[in-house]
C-alpha cells in the first residue's frame, strides 16, 4: 500500500475494553464476490497496536446479505 494514498483523517478508534488507537489514515477498496460489488473502508493503525492482521468492524458484521 502506497502511504501517500491514505486519507489524512486521524480518527480515534475505540475497541473492546475501551482501548483506543489513533489511525494512520484510511482508504477505500472495491471488490466483487459472487457477482455483487462491495466497497470497504480500511483504517490503518500502527502494527504494534494489533495482535491480528485485520479486525472486522461491527458495521460489516451487521450488514445483511441481499
Amino acid at each position: 500500500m502506497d502511504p501517500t494514498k491514505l486519507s489524512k483523517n486521524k480518527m480515534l478508534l475505540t475497541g473492546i475494553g475501551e482501548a483506543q488507537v489513533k489511525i494512520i489514515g484510511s482508504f477505500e477498496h472495491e471488490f466483487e464476490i459472487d457477482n455483487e460489488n462491495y466497497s470497504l473502508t480500511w483504517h490503518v493503525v500502527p502494527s504494534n497496536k494489533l495482535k491480528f492482521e485485520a479486525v472486522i468492524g461491527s458495521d460489516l458484521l451487521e450488514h445483511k446479505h441481499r
Side-chain angles (χ1 to χ4, degrees):
M1 173 83 214
D2 181 354
T4 63
K5 297 191 182 208
L6 290 176
S7 74
K8 302 302 180 205
N9 186 359
K10 300 297 182 190
M11 182 185 318
L12 185 65
L13 301 178
T14 303
I16 298 172
E18 302 298 317
Q20 295 184 326
V21 63
K22 188 178 224 180
I23 68 170
I24 296 170
S26 58
F27 64 95
E28 293 280 326
H29 181 71
E30 296 181 7
F31 58 98
E32 181 180 319
I33 298 176
D34 295 332
N35 295 319
E36 299 243 358
N37 293 318
Y38 299 90
S39 178
L40 287 178
T41 301
W42 295 84
H43 300 291
V44 180
V45 300
S47 60
N48 65 344
K49 298 292 183 180
L50 289 178
K51 294 181 182 178
F52 308 98
E53 290 194 29
V55 177
I56 297 173
S58 61
D59 57 335
L60 180 63
L61 296 174
E62 292 171 359
H63 179 71
K64 295 180 181 175
H65 185 64
R66 298 173 219 180

